[in-house]
mmCIF file of all heavy atoms in Angstrom:
data_model
loop_
_atom_site.group_PDB
_atom_site.id
_atom_site.type_symbol
_atom_site.label_atom_id
_atom_site.label_comp_id
_atom_site.label_asym_id
_atom_site.label_seq_id
_atom_site.Cartn_x
_atom_site.Cartn_y
_atom_site.Cartn_z
ATOM 1 N N MET A 10 -10.309 3.341 -7.019
ATOM 2 C CA MET A 10 -11.411 2.380 -6.909
ATOM 3 C C MET A 10 -10.890 1.043 -6.365
ATOM 4 O O MET A 10 -9.858 0.534 -6.809
ATOM 5 C CB MET A 10 -12.052 2.164 -8.283
ATOM 6 C CG MET A 10 -13.252 1.212 -8.250
ATOM 7 S SD MET A 10 -14.011 1.062 -9.892
ATOM 8 C CE MET A 10 -15.293 -0.122 -9.495
ATOM 9 N N ILE A 11 -11.593 0.478 -5.386
ATOM 10 C CA ILE A 11 -11.189 -0.780 -4.774
ATOM 11 C C ILE A 11 -11.742 -1.940 -5.592
ATOM 12 O O ILE A 11 -12.954 -2.073 -5.772
ATOM 13 C CB ILE A 11 -11.696 -0.880 -3.319
ATOM 14 C CG1 ILE A 11 -11.117 0.252 -2.480
ATOM 15 C CG2 ILE A 11 -11.311 -2.227 -2.719
ATOM 16 C CD1 ILE A 11 -11.586 0.251 -1.050
ATOM 17 N N THR A 12 -10.848 -2.778 -6.107
ATOM 18 C CA THR A 12 -11.271 -3.929 -6.883
ATOM 19 C C THR A 12 -11.705 -5.054 -5.950
ATOM 20 O O THR A 12 -11.444 -5.024 -4.738
ATOM 21 C CB THR A 12 -10.130 -4.417 -7.782
ATOM 22 O OG1 THR A 12 -9.057 -4.886 -6.947
ATOM 23 C CG2 THR A 12 -9.627 -3.291 -8.683
ATOM 24 N N THR A 13 -12.351 -6.063 -6.531
ATOM 25 C CA THR A 13 -12.794 -7.213 -5.742
ATOM 26 C C THR A 13 -11.609 -7.921 -5.111
ATOM 27 O O THR A 13 -11.665 -8.347 -3.956
ATOM 28 C CB THR A 13 -13.573 -8.198 -6.635
ATOM 29 O OG1 THR A 13 -14.679 -7.528 -7.227
ATOM 30 C CG2 THR A 13 -14.085 -9.373 -5.814
ATOM 31 N N SER A 14 -10.516 -8.029 -5.878
ATOM 32 C CA SER A 14 -9.309 -8.680 -5.370
ATOM 33 C C SER A 14 -8.740 -7.920 -4.174
ATOM 34 O O SER A 14 -8.383 -8.519 -3.151
ATOM 35 C CB SER A 14 -8.262 -8.764 -6.482
ATOM 36 O OG SER A 14 -7.056 -9.295 -5.994
ATOM 37 N N ASN A 15 -8.664 -6.584 -4.294
ATOM 38 C CA ASN A 15 -8.152 -5.769 -3.189
ATOM 39 C C ASN A 15 -9.042 -5.863 -1.965
ATOM 40 O O ASN A 15 -8.559 -5.875 -0.825
ATOM 41 C CB ASN A 15 -8.031 -4.317 -3.626
ATOM 42 C CG ASN A 15 -6.855 -4.087 -4.559
ATOM 43 O OD1 ASN A 15 -6.182 -5.033 -4.942
ATOM 44 N ND2 ASN A 15 -6.613 -2.853 -4.934
ATOM 45 N N LEU A 16 -10.352 -5.912 -2.188
ATOM 46 C CA LEU A 16 -11.302 -6.014 -1.079
ATOM 47 C C LEU A 16 -11.096 -7.317 -0.311
ATOM 48 O O LEU A 16 -11.113 -7.327 0.921
ATOM 49 C CB LEU A 16 -12.733 -5.935 -1.608
ATOM 50 C CG LEU A 16 -13.847 -6.036 -0.561
ATOM 51 C CD1 LEU A 16 -13.736 -4.899 0.445
ATOM 52 C CD2 LEU A 16 -15.221 -6.023 -1.233
ATOM 53 N N LYS A 17 -10.870 -8.396 -1.041
ATOM 54 C CA LYS A 17 -10.641 -9.692 -0.394
ATOM 55 C C LYS A 17 -9.364 -9.666 0.444
ATOM 56 O O LYS A 17 -9.342 -10.186 1.563
ATOM 57 C CB LYS A 17 -10.563 -10.794 -1.454
ATOM 58 C CG LYS A 17 -11.892 -11.102 -2.135
ATOM 59 C CD LYS A 17 -11.716 -12.177 -3.194
ATOM 60 C CE LYS A 17 -13.048 -12.486 -3.880
ATOM 61 N NZ LYS A 17 -12.894 -13.509 -4.958
ATOM 62 N N ILE A 18 -8.319 -9.067 -0.109
ATOM 63 C CA ILE A 18 -7.052 -8.971 0.631
ATOM 64 C C ILE A 18 -7.220 -8.101 1.865
ATOM 65 O O ILE A 18 -6.719 -8.418 2.955
ATOM 66 C CB ILE A 18 -5.938 -8.407 -0.273
ATOM 67 C CG1 ILE A 18 -5.670 -9.351 -1.444
ATOM 68 C CG2 ILE A 18 -4.663 -8.180 0.530
ATOM 69 C CD1 ILE A 18 -5.253 -10.739 -1.034
ATOM 70 N N ASN A 19 -7.946 -6.994 1.728
ATOM 71 C CA ASN A 19 -8.201 -6.104 2.868
ATOM 72 C C ASN A 19 -8.962 -6.834 3.973
ATOM 73 O O ASN A 19 -8.652 -6.683 5.163
ATOM 74 C CB ASN A 19 -8.979 -4.871 2.414
ATOM 75 C CG ASN A 19 -8.135 -3.916 1.592
ATOM 76 O OD1 ASN A 19 -6.908 -3.996 1.600
ATOM 77 N ND2 ASN A 19 -8.780 -3.011 0.874
ATOM 78 N N LEU A 20 -9.953 -7.614 3.574
ATOM 79 C CA LEU A 20 -10.741 -8.371 4.554
ATOM 80 C C LEU A 20 -9.879 -9.418 5.252
ATOM 81 O O LEU A 20 -9.989 -9.613 6.464
ATOM 82 C CB LEU A 20 -11.934 -9.042 3.875
ATOM 83 C CG LEU A 20 -13.080 -8.114 3.453
ATOM 84 C CD1 LEU A 20 -14.138 -8.879 2.662
ATOM 85 C CD2 LEU A 20 -13.722 -7.450 4.673
ATOM 86 N N LEU A 21 -9.025 -10.069 4.476
ATOM 87 C CA LEU A 21 -8.112 -11.050 5.069
ATOM 88 C C LEU A 21 -7.207 -10.401 6.100
ATOM 89 O O LEU A 21 -6.962 -10.958 7.182
ATOM 90 C CB LEU A 21 -7.262 -11.704 3.975
ATOM 91 C CG LEU A 21 -7.750 -13.009 3.366
ATOM 92 C CD1 LEU A 21 -6.780 -13.490 2.293
ATOM 93 C CD2 LEU A 21 -7.941 -14.085 4.421
ATOM 94 N N LEU A 22 -6.714 -9.219 5.771
ATOM 95 C CA LEU A 22 -5.828 -8.491 6.686
ATOM 96 C C LEU A 22 -6.559 -8.115 7.969
ATOM 97 O O LEU A 22 -6.028 -8.284 9.077
ATOM 98 C CB LEU A 22 -5.287 -7.234 6.001
ATOM 99 C CG LEU A 22 -4.316 -6.374 6.810
ATOM 100 C CD1 LEU A 22 -3.049 -7.149 7.130
ATOM 101 C CD2 LEU A 22 -3.970 -5.095 6.050
ATOM 102 N N VAL A 23 -7.781 -7.625 7.829
ATOM 103 C CA VAL A 23 -8.590 -7.249 8.998
ATOM 104 C C VAL A 23 -8.889 -8.471 9.858
ATOM 105 O O VAL A 23 -8.750 -8.438 11.093
ATOM 106 C CB VAL A 23 -9.896 -6.561 8.558
ATOM 107 C CG1 VAL A 23 -10.839 -6.387 9.747
ATOM 108 C CG2 VAL A 23 -9.598 -5.208 7.925
ATOM 109 N N PHE A 24 -9.293 -9.572 9.222
ATOM 110 C CA PHE A 24 -9.615 -10.791 9.969
ATOM 111 C C PHE A 24 -8.375 -11.361 10.657
ATOM 112 O O PHE A 24 -8.473 -11.928 11.748
ATOM 113 C CB PHE A 24 -10.222 -11.845 9.045
ATOM 114 C CG PHE A 24 -11.628 -11.533 8.610
ATOM 115 C CD1 PHE A 24 -12.069 -11.860 7.338
ATOM 116 C CD2 PHE A 24 -12.509 -10.900 9.468
ATOM 117 C CE1 PHE A 24 -13.366 -11.561 6.932
ATOM 118 C CE2 PHE A 24 -13.814 -10.590 9.082
ATOM 119 C CZ PHE A 24 -14.236 -10.929 7.806
ATOM 120 N N LEU A 25 -7.211 -11.191 10.023
ATOM 121 C CA LEU A 25 -5.964 -11.639 10.646
ATOM 122 C C LEU A 25 -5.723 -10.889 11.949
ATOM 123 O O LEU A 25 -5.378 -11.497 12.975
ATOM 124 C CB LEU A 25 -4.790 -11.416 9.684
ATOM 125 C CG LEU A 25 -3.399 -11.708 10.254
ATOM 126 C CD1 LEU A 25 -3.234 -13.203 10.517
ATOM 127 C CD2 LEU A 25 -2.312 -11.213 9.307
ATOM 128 N N LEU A 26 -5.921 -9.585 11.922
ATOM 129 C CA LEU A 26 -5.723 -8.773 13.127
ATOM 130 C C LEU A 26 -6.762 -9.088 14.198
ATOM 131 O O LEU A 26 -6.438 -9.192 15.383
ATOM 132 C CB LEU A 26 -5.761 -7.289 12.764
ATOM 133 C CG LEU A 26 -4.574 -6.784 11.935
ATOM 134 C CD1 LEU A 26 -4.835 -5.369 11.428
ATOM 135 C CD2 LEU A 26 -3.290 -6.826 12.741
ATOM 136 N N ILE A 27 -8.006 -9.250 13.779
ATOM 137 C CA ILE A 27 -9.075 -9.577 14.734
ATOM 138 C C ILE A 27 -8.821 -10.928 15.394
ATOM 139 O O ILE A 27 -9.120 -11.127 16.582
ATOM 140 C CB ILE A 27 -10.447 -9.562 14.039
ATOM 141 C CG1 ILE A 27 -10.816 -8.125 13.625
ATOM 142 C CG2 ILE A 27 -11.543 -10.129 14.950
ATOM 143 C CD1 ILE A 27 -12.090 -8.029 12.812
ATOM 144 N N SER A 28 -8.250 -11.859 14.631
ATOM 145 C CA SER A 28 -8.012 -13.213 15.151
ATOM 146 C C SER A 28 -7.063 -13.217 16.343
ATOM 147 O O SER A 28 -7.057 -14.160 17.134
ATOM 148 C CB SER A 28 -7.471 -14.122 14.044
ATOM 149 O OG SER A 28 -6.137 -13.789 13.702
ATOM 150 N N THR A 29 -6.252 -12.160 16.488
ATOM 151 C CA THR A 29 -5.340 -12.089 17.632
ATOM 152 C C THR A 29 -6.096 -11.996 18.958
ATOM 153 O O THR A 29 -5.531 -12.282 20.011
ATOM 154 C CB THR A 29 -4.388 -10.880 17.506
ATOM 155 O OG1 THR A 29 -5.161 -9.669 17.434
ATOM 156 C CG2 THR A 29 -3.532 -10.994 16.249
ATOM 157 N N LEU A 30 -7.361 -11.604 18.880
ATOM 158 C CA LEU A 30 -8.194 -11.511 20.081
ATOM 159 C C LEU A 30 -8.928 -12.816 20.386
ATOM 160 O O LEU A 30 -9.501 -12.954 21.471
ATOM 161 C CB LEU A 30 -9.243 -10.406 19.913
ATOM 162 C CG LEU A 30 -8.763 -8.960 19.837
ATOM 163 C CD1 LEU A 30 -9.928 -8.048 19.467
ATOM 164 C CD2 LEU A 30 -8.145 -8.518 21.159
ATOM 165 N N LEU A 31 -8.918 -13.741 19.448
ATOM 166 C CA LEU A 31 -9.808 -14.896 19.527
ATOM 167 C C LEU A 31 -9.129 -16.197 19.931
ATOM 168 O O LEU A 31 -9.729 -17.261 19.824
ATOM 169 C CB LEU A 31 -10.523 -15.083 18.179
ATOM 170 C CG LEU A 31 -11.315 -13.870 17.685
ATOM 171 C CD1 LEU A 31 -11.924 -14.154 16.319
ATOM 172 C CD2 LEU A 31 -12.402 -13.490 18.686
ATOM 173 N N GLY A 32 -7.905 -16.110 20.368
ATOM 174 C CA GLY A 32 -7.211 -17.309 20.832
ATOM 175 C C GLY A 32 -6.195 -17.824 19.828
ATOM 176 O O GLY A 32 -6.240 -17.504 18.639
ATOM 177 N N ILE A 33 -5.290 -18.664 20.322
ATOM 178 C CA ILE A 33 -4.184 -19.155 19.503
ATOM 179 C C ILE A 33 -4.661 -19.996 18.331
ATOM 180 O O ILE A 33 -4.149 -19.877 17.218
ATOM 181 C CB ILE A 33 -3.211 -19.968 20.382
ATOM 182 C CG1 ILE A 33 -2.542 -19.055 21.413
ATOM 183 C CG2 ILE A 33 -2.148 -20.653 19.534
ATOM 184 C CD1 ILE A 33 -1.638 -19.767 22.379
ATOM 185 N N ALA A 34 -5.654 -20.844 18.556
ATOM 186 C CA ALA A 34 -6.130 -21.732 17.493
ATOM 187 C C ALA A 34 -6.674 -20.935 16.309
ATOM 188 O O ALA A 34 -6.312 -21.188 15.154
ATOM 189 C CB ALA A 34 -7.196 -22.677 18.031
ATOM 190 N N VAL A 35 -7.542 -19.968 16.602
ATOM 191 C CA VAL A 35 -8.123 -19.141 15.538
ATOM 192 C C VAL A 35 -7.038 -18.317 14.856
ATOM 193 O O VAL A 35 -7.016 -18.195 13.622
ATOM 194 C CB VAL A 35 -9.212 -18.202 16.107
ATOM 195 C CG1 VAL A 35 -9.772 -17.289 15.007
ATOM 196 C CG2 VAL A 35 -10.340 -19.011 16.729
ATOM 197 N N MET A 36 -6.127 -17.764 15.632
ATOM 198 C CA MET A 36 -5.045 -16.953 15.072
ATOM 199 C C MET A 36 -4.150 -17.788 14.153
ATOM 200 O O MET A 36 -3.742 -17.329 13.080
ATOM 201 C CB MET A 36 -4.210 -16.333 16.190
ATOM 202 C CG MET A 36 -3.135 -15.372 15.699
ATOM 203 S SD MET A 36 -2.276 -14.546 17.058
ATOM 204 C CE MET A 36 -1.482 -15.965 17.843
ATOM 205 N N ASN A 37 -3.855 -19.025 14.554
ATOM 206 C CA ASN A 37 -3.019 -19.896 13.730
ATOM 207 C C ASN A 37 -3.710 -20.245 12.410
ATOM 208 O O ASN A 37 -3.064 -20.285 11.351
ATOM 209 C CB ASN A 37 -2.669 -21.176 14.485
ATOM 210 C CG ASN A 37 -1.614 -20.951 15.553
ATOM 211 O OD1 ASN A 37 -0.880 -19.963 15.510
ATOM 212 N ND2 ASN A 37 -1.534 -21.844 16.515
ATOM 213 N N ILE A 38 -5.003 -20.494 12.471
ATOM 214 C CA ILE A 38 -5.760 -20.805 11.254
ATOM 215 C C ILE A 38 -5.760 -19.616 10.312
ATOM 216 O O ILE A 38 -5.514 -19.744 9.107
ATOM 217 C CB ILE A 38 -7.203 -21.227 11.604
ATOM 218 C CG1 ILE A 38 -7.202 -22.573 12.327
ATOM 219 C CG2 ILE A 38 -8.066 -21.307 10.347
ATOM 220 C CD1 ILE A 38 -8.539 -22.972 12.899
ATOM 221 N N MET A 39 -6.039 -18.415 10.860
ATOM 222 C CA MET A 39 -6.058 -17.208 10.028
ATOM 223 C C MET A 39 -4.676 -16.882 9.477
ATOM 224 O O MET A 39 -4.547 -16.452 8.324
ATOM 225 C CB MET A 39 -6.598 -16.016 10.824
ATOM 226 C CG MET A 39 -8.105 -15.871 10.831
ATOM 227 S SD MET A 39 -8.846 -15.856 9.177
ATOM 228 C CE MET A 39 -7.912 -14.562 8.363
ATOM 229 N N SER A 40 -3.654 -17.089 10.278
ATOM 230 C CA SER A 40 -2.288 -16.839 9.820
ATOM 231 C C SER A 40 -1.934 -17.758 8.657
ATOM 232 O O SER A 40 -1.299 -17.336 7.678
ATOM 233 C CB SER A 40 -1.283 -17.062 10.962
ATOM 234 O OG SER A 40 -1.504 -16.157 12.007
ATOM 235 N N PHE A 41 -2.358 -19.007 8.752
ATOM 236 C CA PHE A 41 -2.100 -19.972 7.688
ATOM 237 C C PHE A 41 -2.821 -19.575 6.402
ATOM 238 O O PHE A 41 -2.219 -19.560 5.319
ATOM 239 C CB PHE A 41 -2.547 -21.371 8.145
ATOM 240 C CG PHE A 41 -2.385 -22.426 7.092
ATOM 241 C CD1 PHE A 41 -1.132 -22.952 6.818
ATOM 242 C CD2 PHE A 41 -3.480 -22.886 6.371
ATOM 243 C CE1 PHE A 41 -0.979 -23.925 5.831
ATOM 244 C CE2 PHE A 41 -3.334 -23.850 5.392
ATOM 245 C CZ PHE A 41 -2.079 -24.380 5.121
ATOM 246 N N ILE A 42 -4.108 -19.241 6.520
ATOM 247 C CA ILE A 42 -4.898 -18.839 5.345
ATOM 248 C C ILE A 42 -4.309 -17.588 4.706
ATOM 249 O O ILE A 42 -4.155 -17.501 3.484
ATOM 250 C CB ILE A 42 -6.371 -18.601 5.739
ATOM 251 C CG1 ILE A 42 -7.021 -19.908 6.183
ATOM 252 C CG2 ILE A 42 -7.155 -17.982 4.575
ATOM 253 C CD1 ILE A 42 -8.412 -19.742 6.770
ATOM 254 N N PHE A 43 -3.976 -16.604 5.547
ATOM 255 C CA PHE A 43 -3.404 -15.348 5.058
ATOM 256 C C PHE A 43 -2.069 -15.589 4.360
ATOM 257 O O PHE A 43 -1.829 -15.079 3.251
ATOM 258 C CB PHE A 43 -3.229 -14.383 6.229
ATOM 259 C CG PHE A 43 -2.656 -13.046 5.851
ATOM 260 C CD1 PHE A 43 -3.470 -12.044 5.333
ATOM 261 C CD2 PHE A 43 -1.300 -12.784 5.992
ATOM 262 C CE1 PHE A 43 -2.940 -10.809 4.980
ATOM 263 C CE2 PHE A 43 -0.765 -11.560 5.648
ATOM 264 C CZ PHE A 43 -1.592 -10.574 5.125
ATOM 265 N N SER A 44 -1.189 -16.365 4.989
ATOM 266 C CA SER A 44 0.143 -16.608 4.440
ATOM 267 C C SER A 44 0.074 -17.360 3.116
ATOM 268 O O SER A 44 0.775 -17.004 2.152
ATOM 269 C CB SER A 44 0.994 -17.391 5.444
ATOM 270 O OG SER A 44 1.194 -16.644 6.631
ATOM 271 N N ILE A 45 -0.749 -18.392 3.059
ATOM 272 C CA ILE A 45 -0.892 -19.171 1.826
ATOM 273 C C ILE A 45 -1.420 -18.299 0.696
ATOM 274 O O ILE A 45 -0.932 -18.353 -0.446
ATOM 275 C CB ILE A 45 -1.829 -20.373 2.052
ATOM 276 C CG1 ILE A 45 -1.170 -21.408 2.964
ATOM 277 C CG2 ILE A 45 -2.216 -21.017 0.719
ATOM 278 C CD1 ILE A 45 0.087 -22.030 2.399
ATOM 279 N N THR A 46 -2.405 -17.460 1.007
ATOM 280 C CA THR A 46 -2.994 -16.578 -0.003
ATOM 281 C C THR A 46 -1.968 -15.590 -0.547
ATOM 282 O O THR A 46 -1.842 -15.401 -1.757
ATOM 283 C CB THR A 46 -4.189 -15.805 0.588
ATOM 284 O OG1 THR A 46 -5.165 -16.736 1.082
ATOM 285 C CG2 THR A 46 -4.842 -14.919 -0.475
ATOM 286 N N ILE A 47 -1.222 -14.958 0.360
ATOM 287 C CA ILE A 47 -0.243 -13.953 -0.062
ATOM 288 C C ILE A 47 0.930 -14.595 -0.792
ATOM 289 O O ILE A 47 1.422 -14.050 -1.791
ATOM 290 C CB ILE A 47 0.254 -13.142 1.148
ATOM 291 C CG1 ILE A 47 -0.919 -12.397 1.810
ATOM 292 C CG2 ILE A 47 1.324 -12.154 0.723
ATOM 293 C CD1 ILE A 47 -1.642 -11.438 0.900
ATOM 294 N N LEU A 48 1.387 -15.752 -0.347
ATOM 295 C CA LEU A 48 2.469 -16.445 -1.044
ATOM 296 C C LEU A 48 2.056 -16.807 -2.466
ATOM 297 O O LEU A 48 2.861 -16.700 -3.407
ATOM 298 C CB LEU A 48 2.872 -17.714 -0.274
ATOM 299 C CG LEU A 48 3.688 -17.509 1.000
ATOM 300 C CD1 LEU A 48 3.883 -18.831 1.722
ATOM 301 C CD2 LEU A 48 5.035 -16.866 0.696
ATOM 302 N N PHE A 49 0.815 -17.227 -2.618
ATOM 303 C CA PHE A 49 0.289 -17.530 -3.960
ATOM 304 C C PHE A 49 0.309 -16.281 -4.841
ATOM 305 O O PHE A 49 0.700 -16.349 -6.019
ATOM 306 C CB PHE A 49 -1.140 -18.070 -3.843
ATOM 307 C CG PHE A 49 -1.844 -18.218 -5.159
ATOM 308 C CD1 PHE A 49 -1.558 -19.284 -5.998
ATOM 309 C CD2 PHE A 49 -2.786 -17.273 -5.578
ATOM 310 C CE1 PHE A 49 -2.198 -19.419 -7.232
ATOM 311 C CE2 PHE A 49 -3.421 -17.396 -6.801
ATOM 312 C CZ PHE A 49 -3.127 -18.473 -7.629
ATOM 313 N N LEU A 50 -0.059 -15.142 -4.268
ATOM 314 C CA LEU A 50 -0.065 -13.887 -5.035
ATOM 315 C C LEU A 50 1.351 -13.437 -5.395
ATOM 316 O O LEU A 50 1.577 -12.902 -6.483
ATOM 317 C CB LEU A 50 -0.782 -12.795 -4.235
ATOM 318 C CG LEU A 50 -2.296 -12.967 -4.079
ATOM 319 C CD1 LEU A 50 -2.858 -11.924 -3.129
ATOM 320 C CD2 LEU A 50 -2.991 -12.878 -5.435
ATOM 321 N N ILE A 51 2.289 -13.641 -4.473
ATOM 322 C CA ILE A 51 3.683 -13.286 -4.752
ATOM 323 C C ILE A 51 4.192 -14.081 -5.957
ATOM 324 O O ILE A 51 4.825 -13.537 -6.868
ATOM 325 C CB ILE A 51 4.571 -13.542 -3.521
ATOM 326 C CG1 ILE A 51 4.232 -12.563 -2.396
ATOM 327 C CG2 ILE A 51 6.056 -13.404 -3.887
ATOM 328 C CD1 ILE A 51 4.974 -12.821 -1.099
ATOM 329 N N ILE A 52 3.907 -15.372 -5.950
ATOM 330 C CA ILE A 52 4.346 -16.241 -7.059
ATOM 331 C C ILE A 52 3.599 -15.892 -8.346
ATOM 332 O O ILE A 52 4.205 -15.785 -9.421
ATOM 333 C CB ILE A 52 4.128 -17.719 -6.687
ATOM 334 C CG1 ILE A 52 5.015 -18.089 -5.496
ATOM 335 C CG2 ILE A 52 4.417 -18.622 -7.885
ATOM 336 C CD1 ILE A 52 4.717 -19.446 -4.897
ATOM 337 N N LYS A 53 2.293 -15.679 -8.221
ATOM 338 C CA LYS A 53 1.471 -15.353 -9.387
ATOM 339 C C LYS A 53 1.924 -14.049 -10.044
ATOM 340 O O LYS A 53 1.949 -13.930 -11.273
ATOM 341 C CB LYS A 53 0.011 -15.247 -8.964
ATOM 342 C CG LYS A 53 -0.947 -14.889 -10.095
ATOM 343 C CD LYS A 53 -2.371 -14.730 -9.577
ATOM 344 C CE LYS A 53 -3.306 -14.288 -10.699
ATOM 345 N NZ LYS A 53 -4.698 -14.063 -10.199
#
């Protein structure tokens, strides 16, 4: 069963990949959001 937390991470991962099509600015923003989120989870 997919939890809400897993769903959010999955969506972040998908949006990160999609952002590669949308230009450097969008990709950099998504990379930052993704990295900060995952680093927080690693520490947590």
Side-chain angles (χ1 to χ4, degrees):
M10 182 177 178
I11 299 179
T12 65
T13 302
S14 176
N15 286 5
L16 180 61
K17 290 179 180 178
I18 297 301
N19 288 343
L20 287 174
L21 266 179
L22 181 63
V23 170
F24 287 144
L25 174 68
L26 291 170
I27 292 174
S28 71
T29 59
L30 293 172
L31 303 178
I33 294 176
V35 177
M36 185 175 64
N37 285 340
I38 292 171
M39 274 307 307
S40 297
F41 177 77
I42 294 172
F43 180 82
S44 297
I45 291 297
T46 302
I47 299 301
L48 285 174
F49 171 77
L50 290 173
I51 292 175
I52 296 170
K53 179 183 177 183

